[in-house]
Amino acid sequence: FLLICSSEAKTNGKNKKPKQVVPDIECDVRAGKVSYPEFIVKCPASCRETKQRVYGSGVFASISSICNAAIHSGVITNEGGKVIVKKMAGQAEYKGSLANGIRSLSLPNWRESFTVSVGKPKKGVIYPSTLDYASSKPATVKTGEGSFPDSTTTATTEPTTTMTTTTLPTTISLTTPTTTTAKPRAAVHKVRDAGALGCLFVTLSNECSKISECRWHIPLTADCKVDIAFLMDGSWSIGKRRFKIQKDFLMEVSQVLSVGMAGPMMGIIQYGDDPVTEFSLRQFSSSKDLKLAIDKIVQKGGLSNVGKALSYINKHYFSDSNGNRGGAPNVAVILVDGWPTDKVEEASRLARESGINIFFVTIEGPDDNEKQNVVEPNFVDKAVCRTSGFFSLPVASWFALRKAVQPLVKRVCDTDRLVCSKTCLNANDIAFVIDGSSSVGTGNFRTVLQFVANVTREFEISDTDTRVGAVQYTYEQRLEFAFGQHNTKADVLNAVKRISYWSGGTSTGAAITYAAAQLFSKSKPNKRKIMIVITDGRSYDDVRAPALAVHRQGVIAYSIGIAWAAQDELEYIATDPDRDHSFFVDEFDNLYKYVPKIINNICQEFNSQPRN
């Protein structure tokens, strides 16, 4: 949204020059959350210390922090400052790098990008003085100068009124005050790069008039392509009246979502003693038909077995036959009257590890006197991804449920925040098998550990995301730390730093067998098993049989050879094709060059597989 003003006429002998007001933002604001294609902001000081994530170098994925991207690019310092943000098309790959104290991460393809530049607008260009935050990327059409939203509209001004109101189709209302009763010459300009939809401004006597109010109403489900299963409470405790309120709520949600194959798809499961599919994702492709179907749902009764319902959707619901589209995030929204009558933590964890984003909407939760009756205390915190509050929506009473429609739809359509979606960065058990033989040496061993840390930094680390383990070997083997022993990225990096150099011989085959027994035998279901072997010499024992054994267990094996490593052994260890899984460097100091390549290969393999 840019106002480009030209002023040829004079008022009181002076040209009126519009002043650029620069909106302040916080360090965590990401470019993708602002609806405009180009805008200016002012970053605060000390954003570097917040460690808000940045993806890419020069061109950044839109899920990156604006301020830290600007620091990374050298546009501002850690003292803060003004930044111009310009959005652009998504990239096939974003490469991470270290610059100005900010380590950006690598990322395989993202739908939208942006660049940053020094916050000095060109002459005559006025950026928005306030920011509008959208839940998802607005739909756009191409114009001669890029991709901007399309709008066609007209405006008129009446001679006898002091307020001119222009209503844009469906989404925007613009109110512009005037101070004259004489009939002005109104020139209507269409701002083409206005974020969600074009915002008109009116120039009187060829001067830019002041816009007193420009409210932007972003369609809640613009570009919202998600597969959503609603688990509705059919237990007897809910009663007929509240069951009807629940159906009304779901009918309203279905209308706001604008269900269709190009956007969100919605299915419903009713749970009580046992879950029952009312209809699948693919059964209805319009909100109108969906609304009629919801209205006909009959209450089943029974207990409130949410855990059993979660297990059901994880095993049976999000399948190709039910309409799961693969490329769309899987979302399950559980409506709960009070509290469940069974445990939900384990079933929810398994569902999340399968890539299902779990949302809980709890209505009339237990009070202090009722908490003693709850089967699993703090069940919501245990069930949802992390406990930031994004995935839980408590509602005080059934009569207030309707107010939760728009907040809920915004959340389920906010694909940038669906961090529980199974991705290449949070779906792995990664074992590093590290050569600690005498030929490596203390200094080179620290370089190897830095390589391990650099790879680890690229992943989302937690008990339900990617887990990391490490084995060091010589003639013997030592478990440095196991999967799940350290459940934050900081803890894993500290554990890597604390690994002490062992020194000894080189038995790589025995180390692979040891890693399989100590680490991969304890891998979780739905985790991809990845082994990265790092060695600088030929093994004293055979590597072929141990490598073949782990391949048969479904382990994806990478081999990294340095200096005197044997090429034939590296190829035996690596999963086929060798060119994607086996790498050789002549010096330890060149290990860092292969970090992006390994991450990219891990992600490409993940993205080429079926979603669930």
Side-chain angles (χ1 to χ4, degrees):
F1 171 38
L2 308 175
L3 299 186
I4 304 175
C5 301
S6 61
S7 180
E8 298 174 0
K10 294 184 178 181
T11 303
N12 298 328
K14 294 182 180 179
N15 287 330
K16 287 189 175 181
K17 184 179 179 181
K19 184 179 179 181
Q20 175 68 69
V21 177
V22 181
D24 293 319
I25 62 170
E26 297 298 324
C27 302
D28 62 349
V29 172
R30 293 168 290 174
K33 305 320 302 172
V34 180
S35 65
Y36 308 128
E38 190 171 348
F39 54 94
I40 190 170
V41 295
K42 185 177 181 181
C43 292
S46 304
C47 282
R48 189 161 54 205
E49 285 72 30
T50 66
K51 298 183 179 178
Q52 293 294 325
R53 287 178 184 159
V54 176
Y55 297 88
S57 301
V59 176
F60 303 96
S62 63
I63 52 172
S64 303
S65 158
I66 293 172
C67 296
N68 278 350
I71 295 172
H72 185 277
S73 294
V75 170
I76 61 173
T77 68
N78 200 36
E79 298 302 311
K82 298 176 184 177
V83 180
I84 291 174
V85 178
K86 187 172 183 179
K87 294 187 183 177
M88 56 193 296
Q91 306 290 304
E93 181 183 5
Y94 299 86
K95 291 188 176 180
S97 63
L98 177 62
N100 302 312
I102 300 286
R103 177 173 291 282
S104 67
L105 304 177
S106 299
L107 187 72
N109 65 65
W110 193 251
R111 64 169 180 259
E112 185 181 53
S113 308
F114 71 98
T115 59
V116 289
S117 58
V118 177
K120 293 182 179 179
K122 293 179 181 178
K123 187 176 180 181
V125 175
I126 302 295
Y127 291 98
S129 59
T130 59
L131 298 181
D132 186 79
Y133 294 93
S135 62
S136 54
K137 184 180 68 175
T140 59
V141 297
K142 289 191 176 181
T143 70
E145 305 202 356
S147 294
F148 298 113
D150 185 38
S151 85
T152 53
T153 181
T154 60
T156 59
T157 51
E158 297 297 329
T160 57
T161 62
T162 59
M163 186 71 73
T164 301
T165 302
T166 303
T167 304
L168 303 183
T170 330
T171 56
I172 301 173
S173 62
L174 168 64
T175 306
T176 306
T178 63
T179 56
T180 177
T181 55
K183 185 171 183 177
R185 286 185 63 193
V188 179
H189 300 262
K190 184 163 57 178
V191 181
R192 304 208 53 127
D193 44 354
L197 285 171
C199 180
L200 286 179
F201 67 95
V202 180
T203 61
L204 305 177
S205 302
N206 290 324
E207 282 185 44
C208 282
S209 63
K210 180 182 178 183
I211 298 178
S212 65
E213 184 179 9
C214 183
R215 290 191 303 273
W216 300 82
H217 303 286
I218 310 301
L220 285 177
T221 59
D223 198 38
C224 173
K225 188 174 182 179
V226 291
D227 290 340
I228 312 172
F230 281 85
L231 279 68
M232 64 185 302
D233 192 338
S235 62
W236 291 128
S237 66
I238 196 173
K240 290 185 178 180
R241 184 180 182 187
R242 288 179 292 185
F243 188 77
K244 175 65 166 61
I245 293 172
Q246 185 177 206
K247 290 202 301 182
D248 292 342
F249 169 79
L250 291 172
M251 284 190 282
E252 189 164 349
V253 167
S254 71
Q255 303 310 294
V256 175
L257 278 173
S258 286
V259 168
M261 286 304 296
M265 295 298 287
M266 176 176 167
I268 291 182
I269 297 100
Q270 184 182 169
Y271 69 88
D273 288 337
D274 296 294
V276 175
T277 297
E278 295 292 348
F279 36 85
S280 67
L281 293 165
R282 72 190 323 167
Q283 199 159 336
F284 299 103
S285 57
S286 76
S287 293
K288 181 180 178 182
D289 293 341
L290 191 57
K291 182 178 180 180
L292 294 172
I294 293 170
D295 193 40
K296 294 177 182 178
I297 293 175
V298 177
Q299 186 177 3
K300 305 294 185 189
L303 298 173
S304 185
N305 289 333
V306 175
K308 187 180 284 189
L310 283 167
S311 296
Y312 174 80
I313 63 163
N314 185 29
K315 294 175 182 177
H316 305 294
Y317 195 77
F318 288 106
S319 62
D320 293 344
S321 60
N322 272 342
N324 181 40
R325 290 175 289 182
N330 294 160
V331 174
V333 179
I334 299 93
L335 300 167
V336 183
D337 174 42
W339 58 89
T341 53
D342 63 350
K343 292 186 177 182
V344 302
E345 182 177 13
E346 180 65 9
S348 186
R349 180 184 67 80
L350 291 173
R352 294 199 313 271
E353 289 184 355
S354 294
I356 302 172
N357 294 274
I358 306 293
F359 286 82
F360 264 72
V361 179
T362 50
I363 307 101
E364 298 181 6
D367 59 30
D368 290 339
N369 294 325
E370 293 171 324
K371 285 182 179 178
Q372 61 184 356
N373 301 322
V374 177
V375 173
E376 191 173 32
N378 302 317
F379 66 91
V380 173
D381 288 343
K382 294 176 181 178
V384 299
C385 184
R386 303 174 178 90
T387 54
S388 63
F390 179 78
F391 292 92
S392 58
L393 197 62
V395 179
S397 75
W398 280 96
F399 302 104
L401 183 59
R402 187 176 181 182
K403 295 178 182 178
V405 171
Q406 293 203 7
L408 177 63
V409 171
K410 281 184 178 180
R411 295 188 195 191
V412 299
C413 286
D414 190 352
T415 52
D416 286 353
R417 295 284 300 275
L418 297 183
V419 292
C420 284
S421 285
K422 189 176 179 184
T423 71
C424 61
L425 301 180
N426 65 8
N428 316 287
D429 278 343
I430 302 177
F432 290 95
V433 182
I434 306 166
D435 185 346
S437 62
S438 302
S439 59
V440 174
T442 304
N444 288 333
F445 188 76
R446 304 318 299 177
T447 302
V448 171
L449 294 186
Q450 186 59 55
F451 169 80
V452 171
N454 289 344
V455 173
T456 300
R457 280 192 186 94
E458 300 290 322
F459 292 89
E460 301 288 345
I461 306 295
S462 80
D463 186 51
T464 55
D465 294 316
T466 286
R467 305 186 306 167
V468 174
V471 167
Q472 184 183 174
Y473 72 95
T474 57
Y475 283 129
E476 300 177 280
Q477 307 84 37
R478 183 168 74 196
L479 180 64
E480 300 293 354
F481 54 89
F483 294 146
Q485 187 173 333
H486 303 291
N487 287 323
T488 69
K489 188 176 295 186
D491 286 347
V492 172
L493 294 175
N494 285 332
V496 171
K497 196 174 182 179
R498 291 194 299 267
I499 296 175
S500 59
Y501 176 47
W502 203 356
S503 186
T506 308
S507 294
T508 308
I512 293 171
T513 301
Y514 181 84
Q518 295 296 318
L519 292 172
F520 292 119
S521 65
K522 300 174 178 61
S523 279
K524 289 187 177 183
N526 305 313
K527 293 290 187 188
R528 286 191 311 155
K529 295 179 284 190
I530 296 172
M531 178 178 69
I532 301 177
V533 178
I534 309 161
T535 181
D536 82 327
R538 180 173 288 279
S539 178
Y540 293 160
D541 64 353
D542 180 47
V543 300
R544 289 174 293 182
L548 184 60
V550 294
H551 294 167
R552 286 173 174 169
Q553 292 171 26
V555 175
I556 301 169
Y558 287 81
S559 60
I560 316 293
I562 309 119
W564 301 280
Q567 187 64 43
D568 59 331
E569 290 185 347
L570 296 177
E571 292 177 0
Y572 284 135
I573 294 168
T575 297
D576 289 332
D578 294 337
R579 67 178 181 275
D580 294 332
H581 300 91
S582 181
F583 307 102
F584 180 85
V585 294
D586 54 357
E587 295 180 356
F588 283 86
D589 288 343
N590 290 327
L591 273 172
Y592 75 94
K593 295 179 180 179
Y594 284 95
V595 173
K597 177 69 172 174
I598 290 169
I599 302 302
N600 186 58
N601 286 358
I602 288 172
C603 286
Q604 282 187 343
E605 286 184 330
F606 174 86
N607 292 332
S608 67
Q609 295 173 349
R611 182 174 181 80
N612 288 325

